Amino acid sequence: MKIAILSRNKNIYSTKRLKEAGENLGHEVDVIDTLHCYMDISSNRPTVRFKGEALPHYDAVIPRIGASVTFYGTAVVRQFEMMGTFSINESVAISRSRDKLRSMQLLSRKGIGMPRTGFAHHPDRIDDLIKNVGGAPVVIKLLEGTQGIGVVLADTQKAAESIIEAFMGLNANILVQEYIKEAGGADIRCLVVGGKVVAAMKRQAAAGEFRSNLHRGGSASLVRLSPQERKTAIDAAKTMGLNMCGVDILRSNNGPVVMEVNSSPGLEGIESATGKDIAGMIIDFIAKNAKPNNTKTRGKG
Ligand code: ADP
């Protein structure tokens, strides 16, 4: 098969591993810089152009679209879908999962566990917003943040009010969430491929920190999932319509709660924590599913 990895950087771990795994399994794999692709969208024969030439036909694409390039990146994926190329994650599913509010509304509609969460832009009654998720301590998140930046723990009602006011002053969309104290600064990253959890790791925050992001000094270890945790991760991936994703779960007193679903999960942390060849599993899934026009929406969504 001919596979394209859409990635801004061919030297990062996940991209390198996917290319290597694809080639080891006998496929031809190109890495294409998403932002350097351009397209004639008015033509009746959709193509993607790159460095002065139309790209050849690919059987499948693996989008590795960073949060900052979602808008353009999903348009490129959509163009490939219109050409009948199979995308491991569809453009509509990527867009859906990138919108945190939409994601949480969809997960909640399906009855998937999540922390009590409120969102707001300019509430007149900040006290009520806080009260509604159970009162302080609460976690306040800037919607645009990644890697734990813009995620703040407010211990008291007063602190929560002033942080929310400060974010409001910046005209930001915010999310106010019940603090899952019993998670003890740990979360669980489940990697879902083709409706199965293929690997899971526990990330533990550094001492004195509640955010477990590896970028913030968190450490990863192996974890055994309960059947309920496994089901929660699978249901979350299915709700978002993602064939491959990372589902972040907190262990709460009320069972597993989903914090986030990531459509371009990094492979380095989870491959080294579990010793599994996840890149190989992703390529296997593609080999089994990349029939022409097998992307459900074919760019229509
Ligand atoms: P980002 O997407 O920027 O990584 P997250 O929402 O995943 O932000 O939050 C970063 C980290 O903070 C999580 O991995 C988790 O360890 C911790 N955290 C986030 N929300 C909560 C919460 N409601 N209760 C307890 N810990 C949380």
Side-chain angles (χ1 to χ4, degrees), residues 74-75 77-78 81 87 89-96 295 297 299 301:
T74 49
V77 177
R78 200 151 49 234
E81 290 165 1
S87 179
N89 283 331
E90 293 191 34
S91 55
V92 275
I94 299 171
S95 307
R96 192 185 287 138
T295 295
T297 50

Side-chain angles (χ1 to χ4, degrees), residues 141 146-148 177-178 180 187 210-213 259-260:
K141 301 184 185 183
T146 52
Q147 297 178 353
Q177 204 163 62
E178 158 195 14
I180 309 293
D187 75 350
F210 81 104
R211 295 166 297 180
S212 60
N213 305 69
M259 253 185 327
E260 192 166 33

Side-chain angles (χ1 to χ4, degrees), residues 233-294:
I234 293 168
D235 288 349
K238 190 163 169 228
T239 303
M240 303 314 297
L242 293 164
N243 288 318
M244 188 247 306
C245 60
V247 181
D248 295 341
I249 283 177
L250 293 172
R251 284 181 163 162
S252 87
N253 289 339
N254 302 317
V257 289
V258 174
M259 253 185 327
E260 192 166 33
V261 182
N262 188 330
S263 61
S264 286
L267 301 182
E268 186 166 15
I270 196 141
E271 282 198 337
S272 50
T274 61
K276 289 189 178 170
D277 173 15
I278 295 161
M281 298 182 197
I282 293 171
I283 302 289
D284 273 342
F285 174 81
I286 290 174
K288 290 202 182 84
N289 292 278
K291 308 211 174 60
N293 297 317
N294 214 7

Side-chain angles (χ1 to χ4, degrees), residues 23-181:
E23 288 173 350
N24 284 345
L25 290 164
H27 305 293
E28 199 182 313
V29 186
D30 294 335
V31 178
I32 297 168
D33 184 341
T34 329
L35 291 191
H36 286 250
C37 291
Y38 52 101
M39 304 156 281
D40 175 1
I41 56 160
S42 58
S43 154
N44 54 10
R45 239 189 94 244
T47 47
V48 176
R49 297 186 68 80
F50 189 73
K51 296 190 174 167
E53 284 173 32
L55 286 173
H57 176 76
Y58 287 101
D59 301 297
V61 288
I62 307 178
R64 303 285 313 171
I65 310 282
S68 60
V69 300
T70 303
F71 183 63
Y72 193 75
T74 49
V76 174
V77 177
R78 200 151 49 234
Q79 186 80 356
F80 276 105
E81 290 165 1
M82 286 165 65
M83 294 157 65
T85 300
F86 174 78
S87 179
I88 183 156
N89 283 331
E90 293 191 34
S91 55
V92 275
I94 299 171
S95 307
R96 192 185 287 138
S97 71
R98 281 295 154 76
D99 180 338
K100 274 197 196 179
L101 299 188
R102 187 174 173 197
S103 305
M104 300 212 81
Q105 285 171 321
L106 288 169
L107 295 174
S108 135
R109 201 172 67 150
K110 289 280 176 189
I112 294 169
M114 63 171 68
R116 281 180 72 182
T117 304
F119 39 85
H121 185 78
H122 236 96
D124 298 312
R125 289 288 306 274
I126 297 178
D127 58 332
D128 189 51
L129 176 69
I130 299 167
K131 201 174 90 205
N132 238 318
V133 297
V138 289
V139 176
I140 301 160
K141 301 184 185 183
L142 264 181
L143 228 56
E144 287 75 21
T146 52
Q147 297 178 353
I149 296 164
V151 178
V152 188
L153 173 60
D155 283 319
T156 63
Q157 173 84 15
K158 272 274 149 275
E161 285 178 15
S162 21
I163 294 163
I164 293 171
E165 273 168 17
F167 283 165
M168 268 169 50
L170 296 170
N171 223 5
N173 291 310
I174 49 169
L175 203 140
V176 182
Q177 204 163 62
E178 158 195 14
Y179 174 49
I180 309 293
K181 187 165 192 280

